[in-house]
Amino acid sequence: MSHAQFFLFGLAALAFSACVAETSLASEPIKIGFAGSLSGDLAPYGLPPLKAVQLVVKEINARGGIQGRPVELLVEDDACKPELATNSATKLVAGGVKAVIGHICSGPTKAALPIYQAAKVLVISPSATSSLLNRDGEYPFFFRTIAADDVQAAAQVDFALQTLKAGKIAVLHDKGDYGKGLAEFAKSLIERSGKAQVVLFEGITPGAVDYSAVVQKIKRSGAEAVLFGGYHPEASKLVGQMRQKRLATPFVSDDGVKNDTFIKVAGKDAEGVYATGPADASDNSVTKAYQEKFRQAEGTNPGAFFDNAVAAALALTNAIAKAGSTDPEAMARILHSEEVATPFGPIKFDAKGEPVGIGVTLYQARDGQFVQVR
């Protein structure tokens, strides 16, 4: 072989290698993580969002992926426990995820965010509402598709003052990042209103069997409404023991209570309970499409935060496609600047990662289901 032939052969080999490398890169999967409560008492909050994300990913892959690259979903269960969330986050980062949908509960999200931030992994939560999560811009790659606690607290307090006309209000919480944070916002809003008095502000112990002592305190306080920050296991026991003591005080809670599991666990005592939650999106065409896909796959209606997780998955995958990259800064720019169609209508995100276009609605448990009040 002459020098010229050798040189041409070498060029051809290099070109072939480059082509193979480019093809390999183009077909390499885009890894997205999901983390949330998939076991334990709070699994009803995590399983519907997981199903939602799986449906979106399946649909995208059926269309050929994002720019020809399949989406691979890595799933971790944190059982809504902060100490498990750090392990889940570490595993997802080690697995090579470029973004995470989750976590579901505020405490685990707070625990995991420093790990994602250090690895420059973008995070979109469908349900973590603590206002502390995006305070001071500490986590520029954190977004959520649900209204924060201060918005929920404002809706609850406004309802208690304007509709229930309560002049004395008991504010309770479960001592967690989510429940306590929400309760503190509510307390502050009540005090600033000048229209009512906080006659009791107290934390209860999650998992306790007997809440009779706090029920007695509610009774002695003369409270005309109870605002509770926390999740359904404690809320159902608390309401049940209030009703056993013939205490009919209106009970107003949050999206940690606004779900079918609370109604099943609390039974007849759930009747009349108020709770804030994501706005009813049942008339939206995107909602109808994904809920119907869920019913076909599972044979039941989707549960809590399903629509919010669909919104998170659509927003994230749209950002990857529009940015043409999984670089967090590139994805963040799209999330901040371009609207995407979701179950809540077109949304984008403000400078703090809060959703523009998603609010809260007040519901009441009536005849075994939560019905929109306002």
Side-chain angles (χ1 to χ4, degrees), residues 278-282 361-364 366 369-374:
D280 182 8
S282 57
T361 300
L362 191 84
Y363 299 83
Q364 186 180 32
R366 297 176 185 168
Q369 62 181 339
F370 275 106
V371 178
Q372 185 170 314
V373 175
R374 62 181 232 190

Side-chain angles (χ1 to χ4, degrees), residues 15 33 45 66 85 87 99 135 138 140 148 150 159 190 213 225 241 260 264 292 303 347 350 363:
Y45 299 123
I66 299 175
N87 188 45
R135 187 176 61 183
E138 188 177 358
D150 52 348
F159 179 74
I190 294 166
Q241 289 175 32
D260 292 341
K264 289 175 185 175
E292 183 55 33
I347 68 166
D350 68 15
Y363 299 83

Side-chain angles (χ1 to χ4, degrees), residues 9 11 47 132 184-185 204 254 267 270-271 296 318 327 332 346 373:
F9 178 80
L11 283 179
L47 291 171
L132 301 177
E184 286 174 340
F185 274 117
I204 64 171
D254 47 42
E271 193 71 10
Q296 289 178 2
N318 176 71
D327 174 74
V373 175

Side-chain angles (χ1 to χ4, degrees), residues 333-359:
R333 277 195 295 272
I334 300 297
L335 291 169
H336 287 306
S337 62
E338 296 198 22
E339 290 185 334
V340 60
T342 76
F344 303 99
I347 68 166
K348 60 180 180 180
F349 301 84
D350 68 15
K352 287 189 172 183
E354 300 289 5
V356 178
I358 297 180

Side-chain angles (χ1 to χ4, degrees), residues 28-287:
E28 186 179 319
I30 297 170
K31 294 184 179 181
I32 294 174
F34 178 92
S37 48
L38 305 178
S39 60
D41 287 343
L42 301 184
Y45 299 123
L47 291 171
L50 173 59
K51 297 288 185 182
V53 176
Q54 288 172 332
L55 282 174
V56 174
V57 168
K58 181 179 179 181
E59 186 177 65
I60 287 172
N61 285 338
R63 295 199 304 258
I66 299 175
Q67 296 175 346
R69 298 175 63 186
V71 177
E72 181 181 343
L73 189 63
L74 279 64
V75 179
E76 285 292 329
D77 177 15
D78 67 17
C80 197
K81 297 181 185 297
E83 62 272 21
L84 296 182
T86 53
N87 188 45
S88 295
T90 301
K91 284 184 178 179
L92 289 174
V93 168
V97 300
K98 301 302 181 183
V100 170
I101 297 174
H103 292 224
I104 298 303
C105 302
S106 291
T109 306
K110 180 181 176 183
L113 275 176
I115 296 169
Y116 296 131
Q117 182 67 19
K120 291 191 174 181
V121 170
L122 188 140
V123 178
I124 303 185
S125 173
S127 54
T129 58
S130 172
S131 298
L132 301 177
L133 295 173
N134 59 7
R135 187 176 61 183
D136 303 327
E138 188 177 358
Y139 302 112
F141 302 136
F142 173 70
F143 299 79
R144 57 179 149 209
T145 53
I146 192 167
D149 286 345
D150 52 348
V151 179
Q152 285 202 85
Q156 293 167 11
V157 169
D158 182 68
F159 179 74
L161 297 177
Q162 305 301 330
T163 303
L164 299 179
K165 306 293 183 185
K168 296 180 177 181
I169 302 174
V171 182
L172 307 176
H173 60 83
D174 65 357
K175 302 179 183 179
D177 288 293
Y178 164 61
K180 187 178 180 183
L182 199 152
E184 286 174 340
F185 274 117
K187 179 176 181 285
S188 175
L189 289 169
I190 294 166
E191 291 172 342
R192 294 208 315 259
S193 75
K195 296 179 179 179
Q197 178 185 1
V198 177
V199 292
L200 178 66
F201 183 81
E202 187 159 332
I204 64 171
T205 303
V209 176
D210 185 9
Y211 293 129
S212 58
V214 75
V215 169
Q216 195 59 36
K217 287 183 181 181
I218 295 170
K219 194 169 186 177
R220 286 200 301 265
S221 74
E224 296 162 334
V226 173
L227 269 58
F228 174 71
Y231 296 104
H232 75 264
E234 287 68 44
S236 58
K237 290 181 205 170
L238 195 53
V239 171
Q241 289 175 32
M242 284 174 63
R243 303 308 181 230
Q244 286 171 17
K245 297 291 184 181
R246 301 183 186 280
L247 195 58
T249 311
F251 192 93
V252 185
S253 195
D254 47 42
D255 58 8
V257 169
K258 193 252 147 189
N259 61 70
D260 292 341
T261 306
F262 167 75
I263 291 177
K264 289 175 185 175
V265 174
K268 62 179 175 40
D269 296 322
E271 193 71 10
V273 166
Y274 298 98
T276 48
D280 182 8
S282 57
D283 289 336
N284 182 288
S285 59
V286 177
T287 307

